[in-house]
Each structure stands twice: as C-alpha cells, then as structure tokens.
Amino acid sequence: FYFFPPLAPRADVDEEIDDDQVTGTIKLSWFATDTTLFYASYGTGYKAGGVNTDRIAQTLDAVFDAETSEAFEVGMKADFPEQALRLNVALHRTDTDELQTISFQGTGFALQNAGVAETYGGEVDLYWQATDSLNFTVGYAYNHAEYADFEDGDCWISTPWHSNQPDPGLNENGSCDRSGGDVSSNPENVLVLSANQRFRLGSNYSGFIYGEYIYTDERMTDVNNDPAKYDGSYELVNLRAGLVFERYDAELVLWGRNVFDEEYVVTIADKVGQDGNLVAYHTEPGTWGLTARWNF
C-alpha cells in the first residue's frame, strides 16, 4: 500500500490552536394583551476549530476553523380562550460563517469549513382543545438551508463513477465548489398532525387513543451534495392506545411506531474503496409494543 495515495505515509501534522469568543443573546418581549405575546431575539454562536484526526485527501486542509453564527427570530404566542386555541408563530434566520461540515470521503471523515451557510424559515404550532376530552395539534415548519459560499468542498464520488462525467464544481486543486448546494440532513418542509381522545370507563378507570402523522420532505443526506445521495420524502404514522388504572396509579399502553413500515434513511455514504457503491443507514421499521407502568 506504500504507493496507494489514501494509505501512503504522510508528513506529520503539527498545529497549535488558540482562540476565544464572547457570545450572547438579547431578547425582547411585549404582552400586547393578557393572552398575546410578541417577541424578538438576536443571538450569536461559536464552535471551536480543530484538527482532523482521520486520514483525509491531501487536497483538503487538516485544520478546520472556528464556526460563528448570528441568529434572528421574531414571533407571536397567543391564546384564544373562547375558541380553546393556542397559536405560536415564529420566523427565523441564521447566518453561519465557516460552518463546520463532516463527510465520509472513502478513507476517513473529513471535517471542513463551508464559507457561509444561510438558513431561514418559519414555524406554526396550533393546539385546539375541541372538547373536554379531545384535542388536536398541527405543527408545520419551513426551513431553507443552503451553502451560500463553499468553494473548497467535497466532490461527488458515486455519480461521476456511474456517468463518466466529472463533478461540475471541480476546482483545479481537486476540491469542488459546493456553493448554492443544500445543507445536508435538512428537509425543507415538515408537517406534524396529532389527535388525542380520552374517555372514562368507570370511576377509577379511563383510557385514551392517540394518533400522530408526520410528513418529512426530501433531503440531501451528505455534505458533498452527490445527486445519488438524495433521499425522498416519507410519511410516518404512530399510534397509541392505553388504559389508566387510577386507583392503582398504573397504566397499560399498546403502541405502534411507523405502523405502515415506511422505509427511509438518515445517511447515504460512499463505501470504503468501492467507488460507485453506496451504503445507507436505515431507520426504525414498523415496531409494535406493550408497555406497563406502575408507580408505587
């Protein structure tokens, strides 16, 4: 392996890092009425830099810089007692400078800095107590995140191997320009719906039925934005039904998660030394269980 670049001997890396940063948050809130609150916040963040300890491509820098961020948020929290409603709304934006990203590059995990990452979006949460025993919730989040400036990023491996076409962002130094690409593991749209019905079975017994639906948009699963690493949208349904034995302070719950056995993954990565092959990390399949609790 001496002449095989990924495993050939390398010169020692001798680096010293000395850094410090002051961060903080400012929040302002205003109670427009007894049931309505408006707020605004500004905060800064910091994550220290360091040195890659995995063996990475020589075109990449062994040292990665500190990450800093600025975050803005405005929102409203309001109760509507006559309608038994609670509504929360928020708009946010975060600009991250030197965003630290990590990607598996065939022989090791490379931690590098994306120049600038921009994230903005909004969230809406609605809670409705329809009756004394029935409530509904609706949650929706829109979150757009992209690498606004990432000139020396990781390159595609799988797609060029299959198509025989180079990465269109390829730079002369062997890195690739990922500017304008998607921040990994970020679905742009997420919707969550739930309903919970409680009922009496007797003076000392009660029960409930709970259902939850989750929609998650398609997303890029890796930093290098290889088209082969996009995972499609998916939908999950989770259910619970339970009996509460109030006299004994006990509970018996039958539950199911991902009851329709939806298949989706959290990461798609290149296999070690097998260009063109990918490995995907699958998540929990349809799962059922019975849980008993007794407080004594």
Side-chain angles (χ1 to χ4, degrees):
F1 292 119
Y2 190 94
F3 298 103
F4 181 50
L7 299 177
R10 300 280 184 87
D12 292 342
V13 175
D14 185 4
E15 298 286 348
E16 182 176 313
I17 298 173
D18 185 4
D19 198 8
D20 61 84
Q21 183 78 14
V22 176
T23 62
T25 302
I26 297 174
K27 296 181 180 180
L28 299 174
S29 59
W30 173 48
F31 282 93
T33 69
D34 291 340
T35 58
T36 305
L37 168 71
F38 293 93
Y39 69 90
S41 70
Y42 167 78
T44 60
Y46 168 81
K47 186 187 294 184
V51 179
N52 278 282
T53 55
D54 271 11
R55 179 180 289 267
I56 61 175
Q58 297 192 58
T59 56
L60 302 177
D61 196 340
V63 178
F64 56 91
D65 295 326
E67 170 187 303
T68 59
S69 64
E70 289 186 299
F72 307 84
E73 183 176 340
V74 295
M76 178 195 74
K77 299 178 182 292
D79 288 337
F80 302 91
E82 294 183 2
Q83 293 78 26
L85 290 173
R86 172 171 292 168
L87 177 64
N88 298 328
V89 179
L91 299 174
H92 61 83
R93 179 184 178 91
T94 301
D95 294 329
T96 305
D97 190 28
E98 301 296 347
L99 174 70
Q100 294 174 6
T101 63
I102 190 165
S103 177
F104 187 71
Q105 291 294 294
T107 57
F109 288 91
L111 209 163
Q112 299 292 299
N113 295 101
V116 177
E118 296 178 350
T119 304
Y120 61 85
E123 298 179 5
V124 178
D125 292 309
L126 179 67
Y127 175 89
W128 178 33
Q129 189 70 46
T131 69
D132 291 341
S133 60
L134 175 64
N135 64 68
F136 297 93
T137 67
V138 178
Y140 170 73
Y142 171 79
N143 193 52
H144 178 83
E146 68 175 41
Y147 301 115
D149 179 16
F150 195 179
E151 294 182 356
D152 293 316
D154 303 322
C155 294
W156 299 354
I157 296 177
S158 180
T159 294
W161 191 92
H162 287 282
S163 66
N164 203 31
Q165 297 297 319
D167 187 327
L170 184 63
N171 297 319
E172 291 183 358
N173 66 357
S175 67
C176 288
D177 190 348
R178 296 274 74 92
S179 301
D182 295 337
V183 172
S184 62
S185 303
N186 176 71
E188 201 159 69
N189 296 281
V190 176
L191 174 67
V192 181
L193 309 175
S194 75
N196 188 49
Q197 173 70 64
R198 292 188 172 274
F199 47 87
R200 298 297 309 179
L201 296 173
S203 58
N204 294 314
Y205 306 95
S206 64
F208 67 88
I209 298 175
Y210 174 84
E212 181 182 56
Y213 166 83
I214 304 172
Y215 169 82
T216 303
D217 209 353
E218 66 177 2
R219 67 229 173 278
M220 168 53 65
T221 62
D222 198 8
V223 175
N224 71 354
N225 270 231
D226 191 324
K229 296 180 179 178
Y230 266 104
D231 190 42
S233 61
Y234 61 91
E235 300 170 275
L236 300 178
V237 175
N238 303 317
L239 300 174
R240 290 202 305 267
L243 295 174
V244 181
F245 305 92
E246 296 162 356
R247 180 178 179 180
Y248 304 103
D249 200 9
E251 186 178 69
L252 185 66
V253 180
L254 173 66
W255 52 266
R257 296 191 59 80
N258 189 11
V259 296
F260 295 112
D261 202 23
E262 182 88 345
E263 292 187 9
Y264 63 104
V265 301
V266 291
T267 301
I268 301 174
D270 297 287
K271 281 191 174 182
V272 178
Q274 300 180 47
D275 290 358
N277 282 345
L278 298 169
V279 59
Y281 294 88
H282 285 263
T283 53
E284 184 182 44
T287 307
W288 296 86
L290 185 66
T291 301
R293 294 186 180 92
W294 178 30
N295 299 318
F296 59 92

